[in-house]
Amino acid sequence: DLDQTFIQAPEHRADSNSIPNQPEEIPVIDLSHIQNVISEIGDACETWGFFQVINHGVPCDARKRVEETVKIFFDLPMEEKIKVKRDEGIMMENTRRTLEIEKKYPMAMPSSTDPEDEGLRVVYNKWPQFPSDFREACQEYAGHAEKLAFRLLELISLSLGLPKERFHDYFKEQMMSFFRINRYPPCPRPDLALGVGHHKDADVISLLAQDEVGGLQISRRSDGVWFPIRPVPNALVINIGNCMEVWTNDKYWSAEHRVVVNSTRERYSIPFFLLPSHNVEVKPLEELLSPENPPRYKGYKYGKFYVSRNRSDFKKLEIQNIQIDDFKVVT
């Protein structure tokens, strides 16, 4: 049986406005080809907001180790997994299928969404005891993912005609990056449910390791049609988050995406999210503005924005989650 809470509204179900066998695909960019990689990344960020990378430098062994370790964890009895159940101060989550792991240990973030409240609270990872190498495997992979994220950030900066270090200062103080491990079990009614509903990432850039099962779909910028991201062996799927969309004043696109499920196979994915420091004000970059291209967003403090999103998601509040469109300048 399918829990009623997982049933999607008809307009959000997997068969709504989608092309399951779409021949057009997001670019697959070989990072070892230095000559054209900057322009290819720029085109992908503007047209799709998504691309895949190969020869990216994240060791296959590190990725495989995490995948194997996590499968062992999810096969443990529930009484063992529940020991790392998430609360608002612990960023390790187990809701039968998700683990959320901070890259920095511990991590500080705003204590509330109140603009006048300058207090910080500390969140930390609550690591499972089994398997014994879980923490080591996760930290090794996260280190490689973060290194690649900053390499991609430099290439994106160059594609905008900016110095490659242009974004570095946004990550100097108490960076808030993390990665998540998702397990999508087989679903008895995949026509009614989604693994993850439609959303945009609130970060700067996301790196996704997906298995061969597939299920990720994105909404095409040109017409909003949904189409699947084909798994490419050893590739990582890259997508632009809200911060980059605002920094580039909508030149680069943060695409909506979702995950469809199936009735026979489980699926694993590992997304890494690069987030700026909590005290960074996210607003369009001055270098990219002009009288013909005025700012389309008001600035917002990233930490306050993140905390609002995070608490709403955690408590499953029956309210509209905060979005960057709330900061759009009305013209």
Side-chain angles (χ1 to χ4, degrees), residues 32 41 82 125 139 152 205 215 222 232 308 328:
S32 67
I41 286 177
I82 208 73
N125 287 332
Q139 289 180 324
L152 290 169
I205 186 174
S222 60
V232 174
S308 177
K328 278 273 191 178

Side-chain angles (χ1 to χ4, degrees), residues 256-273:
E256 276 197 321
H257 47 289
R258 65 187 185 187
V259 177
V260 300
V261 286
N262 66 80
S263 61
T264 59
R265 300 186 67 184
E266 67 178 4
R267 174 181 181 263
Y268 286 88
S269 70
I270 309 173
F272 175 90
F273 304 96

Side-chain angles (χ1 to χ4, degrees), residues 161-233:
L162 302 174
K164 70 176 184 177
E165 302 89 358
R166 176 60 180 87
F167 297 106
H168 284 196
D169 286 347
Y170 296 140
F171 304 88
K172 282 188 174 180
E173 183 180 347
Q174 296 176 325
M175 188 176 70
M176 297 166 54
S177 296
F178 67 96
F179 78 104
R180 183 180 292 135
I181 302 166
N182 298 316
R183 172 183 176 263
Y184 302 97
C187 175
R189 290 298 303 275
D191 57 318
L192 299 180
L194 291 173
V196 175
H198 67 103
H199 67 285
K200 292 187 174 189
D201 289 348
D203 62 347
V204 176
I205 186 174
S206 306
L207 288 65
L208 174 72
Q210 65 169 341
D211 64 17
E212 75 284 355
V213 176
L216 175 64
Q217 294 184 341
I218 74 168
S219 175
R220 189 162 52 192
R221 185 175 193 179
S222 60
D223 56 13
V225 169
W226 292 93
F227 70 99
I229 302 300
R230 175 178 58 90
V232 174

Side-chain angles (χ1 to χ4, degrees), residues 236-304:
L236 292 171
V237 180
I238 313 299
N239 69 279
I240 298 304
N242 287 163
C243 292
M244 188 60 69
E245 187 172 42
V246 173
W247 283 336
T248 63
N249 209 34
D250 283 345
K251 177 178 175 64
Y252 287 173
W253 175 245
S254 179
E256 276 197 321
H257 47 289
R258 65 187 185 187
V259 177
V260 300
V261 286
N262 66 80
S263 61
T264 59
R265 300 186 67 184
E266 67 178 4
R267 174 181 181 263
Y268 286 88
S269 70
I270 309 173
F272 175 90
F273 304 96
L274 183 69
L275 282 62
S277 303
H278 70 83
N279 57 356
V280 166
E281 183 180 15
V282 181
K283 61 182 181 179
L285 300 179
E286 292 290 340
E287 305 97 300
L288 303 180
L289 301 179
S290 68
E292 297 76 27
N293 184 33
R296 300 184 182 185
Y297 296 90
K298 298 176 290 185
Y300 61 90
K301 282 294 182 69
Y302 186 76
K304 297 292 186 182

